[in-house]
Amino acid sequence: MNDNMPSFSANSDPIDENTKLVVFVVYPNIVLLDLVGPLQVFSHALDPKTQANGYKCAVVSLHGGLVPTNTVVPVSSVSMAQVADRDIHTLIIVGGDGAIPAMDDPELLAAIKGLATKAQRVCSVCSGALVLAATGMLDGRRAVTHWDDCKMLAEKFPKVRVEVDPIYIQDGDIWTSAGITAGMDMALAIVAEDIGRSTALRVARSMVTHMARAGGQSQFSPVLDRQLKDATGRFDDLHQWITANLRADLKVEQLATQANMSARNFSRLYARQMGITPAKAVEIIRTEQARDDLETTDLSVKQIAAKTGFNDEERMRRAFVRHLAVSPSDYRQGFRTDAG
């Protein structure tokens, strides 16, 4: 093994029967965070019984060696042949701009399919779904990728049931995730399934992130979406004011006064700029705050409904079902960050 190779060796590095082998497949011009985000999750996951690492990770490429990324930092890898005879617990195809040439590389696709026959679970991060789809393993399955690549995935692989919105999707033993940090959400969900939710939560806390984004949640941030639609920042102050005054009577007239506009002109300009009515925007912002309170506080649903301006639980429940496809109580049960 040359100096560019990592210490992992398929033949000389025995793995305890309780340790799960996670293999990351990389190729030139991957997104570095698509690799290191999930890699860090698995590297932090300790078996609660033994306090030993529950996983052993290997980074592989077609021929091994240093692989360039989309940053100045390359990654070291071993050849895929070195793990070809190993039992793989989770095989993960990393994403990046290099996915486009990679999905047309027959040698790489054949090697991935070979490793998949030894794997209990096969996953992709971001545009890694394009490579996974090119192997045929996504045919007939639900799948997601970064929102910017969903159209390409659907057009090039019509047998794949592409969904644009979710953060990640599990369809049997195949998992796919949306862009960048969504790979970490997927990895945390895998740890929860393999070792337990409490372990996944400890990993999330150690990485100063929330284990609160389940696969069904949207990969689109409402705050970022507002900022993108309002590129000039025309309504930034208004949105901040709404967030700080959720218990107020936020009718159009009140919002228009805050924006220094007539009610009629404000409603027309806001809807044209933001793509939704002012009333719908208020409901979404209230839902965001209520969601955060359900995740991080001990306030009752009734108290949160009052605090966020919904005023009654049923009104808040309907808003949650509309925007999150889940009731407030079910949301808290599934996503609360201090649940054990």
Side-chain angles (χ1 to χ4, degrees):
M1 187 176 298
N2 63 41
D3 291 339
N4 292 332
M5 300 290 252
S7 60
F8 177 86
S9 168
N11 296 318
S12 64
D13 195 359
I15 296 176
D16 182 88
E17 62 180 3
N18 294 319
T19 304
K20 302 166 179 63
L21 177 60
V22 180
V23 174
F24 292 86
V25 176
V26 299
Y27 44 80
N29 205 22
I30 62 163
V31 170
L32 186 59
L33 191 55
D34 282 359
L35 168 65
V36 299
L39 177 61
Q40 201 68 61
V41 169
F42 290 113
S43 298
H44 270 62
L46 300 181
D47 188 305
K49 296 179 181 178
T50 65
Q51 289 303 300
N53 199 299
Y55 300 91
K56 186 166 189 66
C57 299
V59 178
V60 305
S61 62
L62 190 56
H63 301 297
L66 286 177
V67 177
T69 72
N70 68 331
T71 73
V72 297
V73 180
V75 296
S76 188
S77 68
V78 298
S79 71
M80 295 170 74
Q82 286 189 257
V83 297
D85 62 345
R86 299 299 292 265
D87 290 329
I88 299 170
H89 190 270
T90 299
L91 178 68
I92 301 177
I93 316 303
V94 176
D97 288 343
I100 295 176
M103 70 182 183
D104 293 323
D105 184 336
E107 186 180 5
L108 175 63
L109 298 181
I112 290 173
K113 287 192 283 188
L115 294 184
T117 64
K118 306 283 289 183
Q120 295 180 34
R121 177 194 289 124
V122 180
C123 311
S124 65
V125 179
C126 197
S127 56
L130 293 168
V131 182
L132 187 56
T135 69
M137 284 185 277
L138 288 183
D139 287 357
R141 294 183 185 263
R142 298 169 56 235
V144 68
T145 184
H146 190 285
W147 60 266
D148 203 30
D149 293 318
C150 284
K151 182 179 179 181
M152 181 187 299
L153 180 62
E155 289 178 348
K156 287 188 172 293
F157 305 101
K159 293 182 180 180
V160 180
R161 295 159 55 194
V162 180
E163 297 187 16
V164 176
D165 202 43
I167 289 174
Y168 61 84
I169 291 175
Q170 178 186 6
D171 190 333
D173 57 358
I174 303 288
W175 297 58
T176 55
S177 67
I180 318 284
T181 57
M184 296 172 65
D185 293 289
M186 180 182 70
L188 286 166
I190 289 171
V191 171
E193 181 173 276
D194 290 346
I195 303 179
R197 180 179 171 84
S198 59
T199 297
L201 181 58
R202 281 193 292 272
V203 173
R205 284 175 171 165
S206 74
M207 299 177 70
V208 198
T209 187
H210 291 295
M211 187 191 165
R213 301 203 305 172
Q217 286 190 263
S218 174
Q219 62 174 293
F220 299 102
S221 161
V223 175
L224 180 58
D225 188 50
R226 284 195 293 272
Q227 292 172 343
L228 290 171
K229 289 177 178 176
D230 186 23
T232 63
R234 181 171 194 168
F235 296 115
D236 276 357
D237 289 343
L238 176 64
H239 292 145
Q240 292 174 22
W241 182 85
I242 292 172
T243 302
N245 293 274
L246 292 178
R247 300 185 71 169
D249 185 12
L250 300 178
K251 292 182 178 179
V252 169
E253 292 77 12
Q254 178 72 2
L255 301 179
T257 297
Q258 188 64 30
N260 295 315
M261 300 170 68
S262 69
R264 181 179 179 181
N265 195 39
F266 167 72
S267 294
R268 179 177 58 83
L269 289 177
Y270 189 92
R272 186 174 67 188
Q273 181 77 30
M274 304 304 298
I276 57 174
T277 65
K280 184 63 67 176
V282 168
E283 182 178 86
I284 291 172
I285 294 172
R286 281 178 167 147
T287 302
E288 292 169 30
Q289 184 58 57
R291 180 192 65 191
D292 290 344
D293 288 342
L294 287 167
E295 293 173 6
T296 60
T297 77
D298 292 321
L299 295 174
S300 68
V301 173
K302 182 177 181 179
Q303 289 172 316
I304 292 172
K307 176 176 178 285
T308 54
F310 284 111
N311 297 326
D312 66 77
E313 296 176 61
E314 178 57 23
R315 187 180 171 197
M316 187 169 94
R317 187 195 69 79
R318 291 196 300 267
F320 264 66
V321 171
R322 273 194 294 271
H323 300 295
L324 301 176
V326 66
S327 71
S329 57
D330 287 344
Y331 184 93
R332 168 168 271 172
Q333 182 178 358
F335 305 145
R336 183 162 176 167
T337 58
D338 62 354

